[in-house]
Amino acid sequence: MSTQLGVAGTRTDTVKSATVYAILVAISSVHLMNDMMQSVVSALFPVLKDSLRLSLAQIGWIAFTLNMTSSVLQPVVGLISDKRPAPWMLPLGMLSSLLGMVGLAFAPNFYLLLLAVVFVGLGSAVFHPEGSRVVHLAAGNRRAFSQSIYQVGGNFGHMLGPLMTMLIFLPLGQKGAIWGTLLAVTAILILLKVVPWYKKHLAIHNGMMQKRKAAGQAKAALAPKVVALALAILFAIVFARSWYAAAIGNFYQFYVEETYGLSIKAAQVPLFLFLAAGVAGTFLGGIAADQIGRKKMMLISILGAAPFALLLPHLPLAWVYPLIVVLGFILQSGFSVSVVYAQELMPGKVGTASGLITGLAFGMGGLGAVVLGYLADAYTLSFIMAACSALPLIGLLAILLPKDRREG
């Protein structure tokens, strides 16, 4: 009997430690499509600025609406789904994004455009916490690496924004957004395959957790004050990264047009390089974090990016291209790691932790877009880029984070 129990325990441990790559790739591909649909919004900015005669402040409000819709609802969705996980919410969220794509293509004015953006934001708010839970279940003992695969999908989707501007929206205009509906439909079809696996393994995971609690094997939670301090530091780091990313993602294309005299199409190249390097950084940062630890990787990420951020506004054009690649790579190498760190701070609350960190990133980026848009209208884009270049220095606070806490 003891031998049988030992074999059963070994099987359970194997299931728990195995990484399910097929599911990770599937949910990462949906993340790519979700974030591509979000990228459609920012990719349309150069077109909408002329066709609807938008100010930089109005562009900031569009980014704010998208990001805050996602931000405010992500922790709420995560909290609800931690108590009552609902796999069916994944395809439902994609349906909301599909409606948003239709609205973006045909909105005749600024206010209907904002309404369409709300639908895109709602879809993203539903997807991210549930998607992170799927990753958590499929990760096995490679948490940071698995989260990086998931985040690479999203970063790759954002990376394609400048390419969409060049290849789709400049030639086709606003109505080119209708192609985004194909992304939503494809994502729904993939999710219809993922949801049954999710439901099955969610039940297995919940059963294992109940047995561990009954056997007294659950890891003791950290003191609430320690968790609160660590989360506050994480929020500060996310704030710094998100505001800086908002400055680059929303306004850098206009800055290089103004400063270096580039065309709209040529101005997409530095932005594309920044985002493409961020994809590679996200992937390799997850691998490194499983080896050297979450805290060290976050420190390397945001503090390592600081000198390059400070240099960027003061370089001749030829040096912008290589430096922005290095900057994007280092800055984004710690984002997926911060999500895993938060999940391990709050064991049993995967959706809430993921919603707080990724939702906060979207929200802070959206708030940053509005504030920076008004400042750019009031002052200059050069002032904004120079001021934002100091933001990564806030990453010094990561030194105060507690040591890694790996929860099984």
Side-chain angles (χ1 to χ4, degrees):
M1 175 66 74
S2 61
T3 303
Q4 290 177 339
L5 287 173
V7 171
T10 302
R11 286 176 180 170
T12 300
D13 291 339
T14 301
V15 168
K16 185 178 172 182
S17 62
T19 305
V20 188
Y21 291 102
I23 293 297
L24 288 176
V25 171
I27 201 69
S28 179
S29 67
V30 175
H31 196 188
L32 182 151
M33 295 172 206
N34 178 83
D35 285 24
M36 272 188 77
M37 285 184 280
Q38 288 186 276
S39 292
V40 166
V41 179
S42 57
L44 278 170
F45 284 168
V47 173
L48 296 171
K49 185 173 181 286
D50 293 332
S51 64
L52 297 182
R53 298 181 180 178
L54 303 181
S55 67
L56 289 176
Q58 285 177 311
I59 286 175
W61 274 110
I62 295 170
F64 174 83
T65 301
L66 173 65
N67 295 326
M68 284 303 291
T69 305
S70 300
S71 171
V72 171
L73 290 180
Q74 272 196 52
V76 175
V77 172
L79 184 62
I80 294 171
S81 65
D82 279 335
K83 295 179 179 178
R84 294 181 64 108
W88 55 267
M89 290 174 68
L90 284 166
L92 187 64
M94 284 300 127
L95 180 61
S96 175
S97 294
L98 188 152
L99 295 174
M101 287 296 103
V102 175
L104 281 175
F106 299 106
N109 57 54
F110 173 67
Y111 297 102
L112 288 177
L113 192 69
L114 286 181
L115 180 61
V117 166
V118 166
F119 278 97
V120 178
L122 287 173
S124 181
V126 170
F127 171 74
H128 279 98
E130 287 295 315
S132 284
R133 191 187 309 282
V134 173
V135 173
H136 187 78
L137 293 173
N141 58 6
R142 304 194 70 186
R143 293 272 176 81
F145 172 66
S146 298
Q147 185 67 218
S148 73
I149 291 177
Y150 174 62
Q151 296 296 342
V152 158
N155 286 358
F156 197 82
H158 281 298
M159 180 193 78
L160 295 176
L163 291 182
M164 288 190 288
T165 300
M166 290 188 284
L167 302 177
I168 299 176
F169 301 127
L170 289 179
L172 299 180
Q174 183 179 346
K175 288 184 171 57
I178 199 66
W179 289 99
T181 59
L182 295 178
L183 297 172
V185 170
T186 304
I188 289 170
L189 293 175
I190 294 173
L191 287 172
L192 291 177
K193 297 291 185 181
V194 171
V195 165
W197 182 94
Y198 178 18
K199 291 172 69 174
K200 176 183 175 182
H201 285 79
L202 185 63
I204 294 172
H205 175 78
N206 289 342
M208 289 169 57
M209 290 300 102
Q210 289 175 0
K211 288 180 181 179
R212 285 180 61 186
K213 287 180 181 178
Q217 295 174 348
K219 187 175 288 188
L222 289 172
K225 288 184 179 179
V226 175
V227 174
L229 174 62
L231 286 175
I233 294 170
L234 276 181
F235 290 168
I237 293 170
V238 170
F239 161 80
R241 184 189 290 114
S242 299
W243 271 54
Y244 186 73
I248 298 293
N250 293 301
F251 301 112
Y252 193 69
Q253 57 188 310
F254 303 121
Y255 170 77
V256 293
E257 283 181 58
E258 179 183 286
T259 304
Y260 302 109
L262 298 183
S263 66
I264 294 176
K265 184 175 287 189
Q268 305 306 309
V269 175
L271 179 57
F272 172 77
L273 291 174
F274 176 80
L275 296 172
V279 173
T282 298
F283 182 72
L284 294 177
I287 295 174
D290 280 332
Q291 301 298 319
I292 68 174
R294 324 311 192 204
K295 178 179 175 178
K296 285 181 181 177
M297 194 63 236
M298 285 187 285
L299 270 169
I300 291 170
S301 169
I302 195 156
L303 281 183
F308 299 101
L310 289 167
L311 278 172
L312 184 63
H314 310 290
L315 294 174
L317 181 61
W319 282 98
V320 165
Y321 299 107
L323 186 135
I324 206 166
V325 168
V326 177
L327 174 59
F329 181 90
I330 297 175
L331 186 68
Q332 292 301 327
S333 64
F335 179 69
S336 63
V337 181
S338 62
V339 176
V340 175
Y341 186 91
Q343 290 173 351
E344 292 170 353
L345 275 177
M346 305 169 69
K349 298 180 180 179
V350 175
T352 304
S354 302
L356 281 172
I357 298 303
T358 58
L360 185 72
F362 283 121
M364 287 295 99
L367 180 60
V370 171
V371 173
L372 295 175
Y374 275 110
L375 288 174
D377 282 337
Y379 297 97
T380 65
L381 283 168
S382 296
F383 169 78
I384 295 303
M385 291 300 147
C388 289
S389 67
L391 284 171
L393 292 173
I394 293 175
L396 279 167
L397 290 171
I399 295 170
L400 302 175
L401 285 170
K403 292 181 179 179
D404 291 359
R405 174 182 172 82
R406 305 199 180 201
E407 182 257 332

